[in-house]
Amino acid sequence: MTATLPTTGTDQLDVLESEAIHVMREVAGEFDRPVILFSGGKDSMLLVHLAHKAFWPAPIPFPVLHVDTGHNFDEVITFRDAVVERYGLTLEVASVQDYIDDGRLSERADGTRNPLQTTPLLDAIAEHRHDAVFGGGRRDEERARAKERIFSLRTAFGAWEPSRQRPELWNLYNGRHKAGEHVRVFPLSNWTELDVWRYIQREDIDLPTIYYAHTRDVFARDGMWLTSGPWGGPRDGEQVLSKSVRYRTVGDGSCTGAVESTATTLDEVLAEVRESRLTERGATRADDRLSEAAMEDRKKEGYF
């Protein structure tokens, strides 16, 4: 599919938008109980925006599901709730904190909660009997996502098995699955981070404020700028500094780092993204640095 895309100008965004809308309408036609994973971040916000365009003037026919680690940024939770109200969405929340409080999960020694999301996510999918789950994953983010299909079949235990993935030729998607299995769907697979930001600019899409440069107290850990919070830190020896930063992703605060930036406008963010030589996950996500195959291992367990 990528080889057929125009490479420059607005036409490229038109083609990517058309493909994503086509995928969403396919899911609406093939599945009974789809859901959109919605974190409040830019990629899941694009999914909501594209779903709105795909089914207008009807309401978005899918609920949204947030796997809340309990360590989310306050600005993002406020934004999530505002989007739910604006679009009249049904919000389902899978709470990692609830699982920790009742003993079904234990805090990790490193304080990182992103790896703990898998069990609440799979339980929520089973509880609501979702048979298709939209995710905002893109192939340019990380090597495990680069080989992902747009329709990604998951077992009855939510696991990703490479040998069971189907070829996707001529924009034909195979949604067949057995009872209890489900399909993860990635309409933004062929987008890049730069495409996402150009589309946000073109469509005037709102985002949480932390995507733009602001002054924040941060401390350095493992090559990233983390902010203090209930997730722990600063530790002894970690110095808090006031810096102008922004976030490229808005995941769990325990493992999501900020980047130094003065980009307060869309044009300035676009200029930074064009110059960047590191993917957003490689630059700012500690959970992807746990091992060479961290994302691959989590996919096999049922993670996004």
Side-chain angles (χ1 to χ4, degrees):
M1 180 62 194
T2 303
T4 66
L5 296 175
T7 56
T8 60
T10 304
D11 285 348
Q12 183 180 7
L13 294 183
D14 289 340
V15 172
L16 291 169
E17 178 191 71
S18 296
E19 181 187 53
I21 287 176
H22 168 67
V23 169
M24 289 188 158
R25 290 173 175 167
E26 280 288 303
V27 169
E30 287 193 47
F31 296 87
D32 296 323
R33 301 178 69 87
V35 66
I36 298 174
L37 293 176
F38 185 70
S39 66
K42 65 183 187 308
D43 300 310
S44 57
M45 185 58 209
L46 247 64
L47 292 181
V48 169
H49 179 83
L50 289 162
H52 179 64
K53 295 188 80 168
F55 300 102
W56 175 261
I60 295 173
F62 318 122
V64 295
L65 169 61
H66 182 209
V67 184
D68 185 349
T69 67
H71 287 170
N72 297 101
F73 295 93
D74 292 340
E75 300 94 327
V76 178
I77 294 297
T78 300
F79 179 82
R80 179 201 70 180
D81 293 342
V83 170
V84 166
E85 181 175 354
R86 185 192 316 160
Y87 288 93
L89 299 169
T90 298
L91 173 65
E92 300 166 1
V93 177
S95 170
V96 173
Q97 186 65 57
D98 287 350
Y99 279 65
I100 293 173
D101 291 344
D102 64 20
R104 285 177 287 173
L105 290 174
S106 300
E107 291 276 17
R108 291 165 51 90
D110 61 7
T112 301
R113 285 191 172 180
N114 254 18
L116 301 181
Q117 294 180 91
T118 301
T119 299
L121 168 65
L122 295 179
D123 286 353
I125 291 171
E127 177 186 353
H128 297 284
R129 295 184 289 115
H130 293 306
D131 52 2
V133 182
F134 288 105
R138 310 188 319 269
R139 291 186 173 124
D140 76 324
E141 289 183 81
E142 200 273 342
R143 67 188 70 180
R145 288 184 168 174
K147 58 187 177 185
E148 184 64 276
R149 301 286 198 271
I150 291 178
F151 273 31
S152 177
L153 179 65
R154 302 303 170 101
T155 71
F157 300 100
W160 177 74
E161 293 181 353
S163 62
R164 294 193 64 202
Q165 305 308 308
R166 293 82 172 256
E168 295 181 333
L169 305 175
W170 308 293
N171 294 341
L172 297 175
Y173 305 110
N174 184 348
R176 293 181 60 187
H177 60 283
K178 298 177 182 176
E181 295 179 339
H182 68 274
V183 175
R184 305 286 173 89
V185 183
F186 301 102
L188 307 182
S189 283
N190 290 323
W191 298 52
T192 65
E193 184 183 11
L194 183 59
D195 293 328
V196 168
W197 279 103
R198 289 177 57 231
Y199 190 73
I200 287 168
Q201 184 182 54
R202 189 183 90 169
E203 302 287 309
D204 192 22
I205 297 173
D206 289 337
L207 293 179
T209 55
I210 65 174
Y211 275 113
Y212 300 96
H214 56 285
T215 301
R216 182 179 289 262
D217 288 343
V218 293
F219 58 90
R221 181 183 295 169
D222 298 330
M224 295 190 305
W225 291 110
L226 298 179
T227 188
S228 59
W231 42 84
R235 298 169 182 161
D236 291 344
E238 292 176 333
Q239 182 182 6
V240 175
L241 301 172
S242 183
K243 286 187 169 291
S244 178
V245 298
R246 72 177 187 87
Y247 287 85
R248 292 176 67 179
T249 66
V250 295
D252 183 80
S254 62
C255 63
T256 303
V259 294
E260 292 188 67
S261 171
T262 58
T264 58
T265 67
L266 268 169
D267 285 339
E268 291 170 342
V269 170
L270 276 164
E272 281 193 356
V273 173
R274 287 192 178 97
E275 294 297 321
S276 176
R277 292 296 177 265
L278 279 176
T279 70
E280 64 207 74
R281 296 196 69 93
T284 64
R285 295 297 286 270
D287 51 333
D288 290 338
R289 301 178 179 185
L290 295 175
S291 73
E292 280 290 316
M295 176 67 81
E296 182 92 7
D297 292 341
R298 277 177 287 157
K299 275 163 57 68
K300 291 178 179 176
E301 294 169 356
Y303 185 67
F304 309 111

